[in-house]
mmCIF file of all heavy atoms in Angstrom:
data_model
loop_
_atom_site.group_PDB
_atom_site.id
_atom_site.type_symbol
_atom_site.label_atom_id
_atom_site.label_comp_id
_atom_site.label_asym_id
_atom_site.label_seq_id
_atom_site.Cartn_x
_atom_site.Cartn_y
_atom_site.Cartn_z
ATOM 1 N N VAL Q 155 -4.902 67.966 253.928
ATOM 2 C CA VAL Q 155 -3.881 67.208 254.619
ATOM 3 C C VAL Q 155 -2.964 68.353 255.392
ATOM 4 O O VAL Q 155 -2.590 69.167 254.844
ATOM 5 C CB VAL Q 155 -2.950 66.418 253.755
ATOM 6 C CG1 VAL Q 155 -1.940 65.689 254.473
ATOM 7 C CG2 VAL Q 155 -3.863 65.420 252.867
ATOM 8 N N LEU Q 156 -2.701 67.961 256.672
ATOM 9 C CA LEU Q 156 -1.825 68.778 257.499
ATOM 10 C C LEU Q 156 -0.540 67.958 257.784
ATOM 11 O O LEU Q 156 -0.635 66.837 258.344
ATOM 12 C CB LEU Q 156 -2.507 69.165 258.808
ATOM 13 C CG LEU Q 156 -1.634 69.888 259.803
ATOM 14 C CD1 LEU Q 156 -1.157 71.214 259.264
ATOM 15 C CD2 LEU Q 156 -2.357 70.026 261.176
ATOM 16 N N GLU Q 157 0.566 68.540 257.292
ATOM 17 C CA GLU Q 157 1.821 67.910 257.681
ATOM 18 C C GLU Q 157 2.184 68.476 259.073
ATOM 19 O O GLU Q 157 2.459 69.622 259.249
ATOM 20 C CB GLU Q 157 2.920 68.382 256.646
ATOM 21 C CG GLU Q 157 2.545 67.908 255.208
ATOM 22 C CD GLU Q 157 2.600 66.432 254.965
ATOM 23 O OE1 GLU Q 157 3.255 65.700 255.880
ATOM 24 O OE2 GLU Q 157 2.072 65.916 253.992
ATOM 25 N N MET Q 158 2.333 67.535 259.987
ATOM 26 C CA MET Q 158 2.535 67.915 261.438
ATOM 27 C C MET Q 158 3.830 68.618 261.668
ATOM 28 O O MET Q 158 3.989 69.265 262.662
ATOM 29 C CB MET Q 158 2.334 66.709 262.292
ATOM 30 C CG MET Q 158 0.912 66.163 262.389
ATOM 31 S SD MET Q 158 -0.362 67.436 262.870
ATOM 32 C CE MET Q 158 0.258 67.740 264.532
ATOM 33 N N SER Q 159 4.833 68.371 260.782
ATOM 34 C CA SER Q 159 6.060 69.023 260.981
ATOM 35 C C SER Q 159 6.011 70.574 260.867
ATOM 36 O O SER Q 159 6.860 71.375 261.491
ATOM 37 C CB SER Q 159 7.120 68.584 259.843
ATOM 38 O OG SER Q 159 6.662 68.884 258.611
ATOM 39 N N GLY Q 160 4.942 71.043 260.258
ATOM 40 C CA GLY Q 160 4.744 72.546 260.241
ATOM 41 C C GLY Q 160 3.799 73.111 261.212
ATOM 42 O O GLY Q 160 3.554 74.319 261.209
ATOM 43 N N PHE Q 161 3.320 72.260 262.130
ATOM 44 C CA PHE Q 161 2.321 72.700 263.156
ATOM 45 C C PHE Q 161 3.099 73.026 264.371
ATOM 46 O O PHE Q 161 3.713 72.202 264.996
ATOM 47 C CB PHE Q 161 1.264 71.694 263.315
ATOM 48 C CG PHE Q 161 0.248 72.096 264.384
ATOM 49 C CD1 PHE Q 161 -0.734 73.003 264.225
ATOM 50 C CD2 PHE Q 161 0.350 71.577 265.658
ATOM 51 C CE1 PHE Q 161 -1.604 73.417 265.156
ATOM 52 C CE2 PHE Q 161 -0.548 71.895 266.721
ATOM 53 C CZ PHE Q 161 -1.519 72.831 266.441
ATOM 54 N N GLU Q 162 2.980 74.271 264.831
ATOM 55 C CA GLU Q 162 3.515 74.661 266.118
ATOM 56 C C GLU Q 162 2.443 75.003 267.112
ATOM 57 O O GLU Q 162 1.723 76.009 266.915
ATOM 58 C CB GLU Q 162 4.433 75.988 265.888
ATOM 59 C CG GLU Q 162 5.636 75.630 265.068
ATOM 60 C CD GLU Q 162 6.591 74.686 265.766
ATOM 61 O OE1 GLU Q 162 6.564 74.486 266.969
ATOM 62 O OE2 GLU Q 162 7.414 73.996 264.971
ATOM 63 N N GLY Q 261 1.518 56.453 261.156
ATOM 64 C CA GLY Q 261 1.947 57.864 261.270
ATOM 65 C C GLY Q 261 0.918 58.731 260.768
ATOM 66 O O GLY Q 261 1.168 60.058 260.589
ATOM 67 N N ALA Q 287 -6.845 68.669 269.490
ATOM 68 C CA ALA Q 287 -6.646 67.440 268.832
ATOM 69 C C ALA Q 287 -5.266 67.421 268.121
ATOM 70 O O ALA Q 287 -4.534 66.394 268.148
ATOM 71 C CB ALA Q 287 -7.778 67.227 267.888
ATOM 72 N N LEU Q 288 -4.901 68.513 267.541
ATOM 73 C CA LEU Q 288 -3.624 68.602 266.835
ATOM 74 C C LEU Q 288 -2.483 68.552 267.912
ATOM 75 O O LEU Q 288 -1.400 67.873 267.591
ATOM 76 C CB LEU Q 288 -3.529 69.952 266.045
ATOM 77 C CG LEU Q 288 -4.620 69.944 264.839
ATOM 78 C CD1 LEU Q 288 -4.284 71.268 264.080
ATOM 79 C CD2 LEU Q 288 -4.570 68.757 263.905
ATOM 80 N N GLN Q 289 -2.701 69.199 268.968
ATOM 81 C CA GLN Q 289 -1.670 69.011 269.990
ATOM 82 C C GLN Q 289 -1.439 67.554 270.524
ATOM 83 O O GLN Q 289 -0.272 67.139 270.663
ATOM 84 C CB GLN Q 289 -1.988 70.001 271.205
ATOM 85 C CG GLN Q 289 -1.909 71.506 270.884
ATOM 86 C CD GLN Q 289 -2.503 72.336 272.030
ATOM 87 O OE1 GLN Q 289 -3.413 71.916 272.703
ATOM 88 N NE2 GLN Q 289 -2.080 73.554 272.118
ATOM 89 N N LEU Q 290 -2.536 66.867 270.642
ATOM 90 C CA LEU Q 290 -2.518 65.458 270.972
ATOM 91 C C LEU Q 290 -1.729 64.649 269.872
ATOM 92 O O LEU Q 290 -0.872 63.798 270.209
ATOM 93 C CB LEU Q 290 -3.882 64.890 271.122
ATOM 94 C CG LEU Q 290 -4.035 63.400 271.315
ATOM 95 C CD1 LEU Q 290 -3.431 62.971 272.550
ATOM 96 C CD2 LEU Q 290 -5.481 62.920 271.193
ATOM 97 N N ALA Q 291 -2.059 65.001 268.592
ATOM 98 C CA ALA Q 291 -1.403 64.237 267.525
ATOM 99 C C ALA Q 291 0.117 64.581 267.490
ATOM 100 O O ALA Q 291 0.868 63.645 267.282
ATOM 101 C CB ALA Q 291 -2.033 64.659 266.193
ATOM 102 N N LYS Q 292 0.484 65.826 267.795
ATOM 103 C CA LYS Q 292 1.966 66.200 267.832
ATOM 104 C C LYS Q 292 2.618 65.423 268.938
ATOM 105 O O LYS Q 292 3.792 64.920 268.792
ATOM 106 C CB LYS Q 292 2.036 67.697 268.105
ATOM 107 C CG LYS Q 292 3.438 68.255 267.999
ATOM 108 C CD LYS Q 292 3.698 68.592 266.497
ATOM 109 C CE LYS Q 292 5.009 69.437 266.369
ATOM 110 N NZ LYS Q 292 5.257 69.760 265.017
ATOM 111 N N ARG Q 293 2.050 65.277 270.087
ATOM 112 C CA ARG Q 293 2.633 64.508 271.225
ATOM 113 C C ARG Q 293 2.815 63.076 270.873
ATOM 114 O O ARG Q 293 3.735 62.430 271.465
ATOM 115 C CB ARG Q 293 1.818 64.644 272.455
ATOM 116 C CG ARG Q 293 1.778 66.060 273.096
ATOM 117 C CD ARG Q 293 1.203 66.010 274.441
ATOM 118 N NE ARG Q 293 -0.153 65.580 274.475
ATOM 119 C CZ ARG Q 293 -1.245 66.395 274.412
ATOM 120 N NH1 ARG Q 293 -1.051 67.740 274.273
ATOM 121 N NH2 ARG Q 293 -2.519 65.868 274.570
ATOM 122 N N GLY Q 295 3.501 61.881 268.023
ATOM 123 C CA GLY Q 295 4.541 61.759 266.985
ATOM 124 C C GLY Q 295 3.950 61.516 265.573
ATOM 125 O O GLY Q 295 4.486 60.937 264.677
ATOM 126 N N VAL Q 296 2.602 61.941 265.411
ATOM 127 C CA VAL Q 296 1.974 61.640 264.140
ATOM 128 C C VAL Q 296 2.536 62.464 262.989
ATOM 129 O O VAL Q 296 2.959 63.662 263.186
ATOM 130 C CB VAL Q 296 0.421 62.002 264.309
ATOM 131 C CG1 VAL Q 296 -0.226 62.061 262.943
ATOM 132 C CG2 VAL Q 296 -0.231 61.044 265.228
ATOM 133 N N ARG Q 297 2.696 61.936 261.852
ATOM 134 C CA ARG Q 297 3.324 62.582 260.740
ATOM 135 C C ARG Q 297 2.332 63.533 259.978
ATOM 136 O O ARG Q 297 2.712 64.634 259.545
ATOM 137 C CB ARG Q 297 3.863 61.493 259.738
ATOM 138 C CG ARG Q 297 4.653 62.007 258.544
ATOM 139 C CD ARG Q 297 4.987 60.895 257.565
ATOM 140 N NE ARG Q 297 3.835 60.436 256.859
ATOM 141 C CZ ARG Q 297 3.233 59.265 257.151
ATOM 142 N NH1 ARG Q 297 3.748 58.453 258.158
ATOM 143 N NH2 ARG Q 297 2.225 58.774 256.375
ATOM 144 N N GLU Q 298 1.064 63.034 259.750
ATOM 145 C CA GLU Q 298 0.128 63.869 259.016
ATOM 146 C C GLU Q 298 -1.338 63.514 259.480
ATOM 147 O O GLU Q 298 -1.594 62.379 260.021
ATOM 148 C CB GLU Q 298 0.259 63.648 257.494
ATOM 149 C CG GLU Q 298 0.071 62.178 257.017
ATOM 150 C CD GLU Q 298 0.397 62.021 255.568
ATOM 151 O OE1 GLU Q 298 1.103 62.856 255.022
ATOM 152 O OE2 GLU Q 298 -0.004 60.971 254.967
ATOM 153 N N ILE Q 299 -2.124 64.501 259.280
ATOM 154 C CA ILE Q 299 -3.535 64.265 259.565
ATOM 155 C C ILE Q 299 -4.404 64.639 258.325
ATOM 156 O O ILE Q 299 -4.117 65.709 257.615
ATOM 157 C CB ILE Q 299 -4.013 65.268 260.729
ATOM 158 C CG1 ILE Q 299 -3.258 64.807 261.940
ATOM 159 C CG2 ILE Q 299 -5.550 65.159 260.932
ATOM 160 C CD1 ILE Q 299 -3.624 65.735 263.137
ATOM 161 N N PHE Q 319 -3.880 73.032 257.004
ATOM 162 C CA PHE Q 319 -4.293 72.021 256.148
ATOM 163 C C PHE Q 319 -4.183 72.451 254.658
ATOM 164 O O PHE Q 319 -4.568 73.641 254.395
ATOM 165 C CB PHE Q 319 -5.641 71.581 256.475
ATOM 166 C CG PHE Q 319 -5.877 70.743 257.628
ATOM 167 C CD1 PHE Q 319 -5.895 71.311 258.902
ATOM 168 C CD2 PHE Q 319 -5.843 69.263 257.579
ATOM 169 C CE1 PHE Q 319 -6.075 70.503 260.081
ATOM 170 C CE2 PHE Q 319 -6.037 68.508 258.676
ATOM 171 C CZ PHE Q 319 -6.108 69.121 259.946
#
Side-chain angles (χ1 to χ4, degrees):
V155 182
L156 174 63
E157 301 292 340
M158 291 302 297
S159 60
F161 176 77
E162 294 297 335
L288 298 183
Q289 290 170 335
L290 171 67
K292 190 82 170 182
R293 292 193 298 270
V296 171
R297 185 184 70 257
E298 59 187 19
I299 297 179
F319 285 83

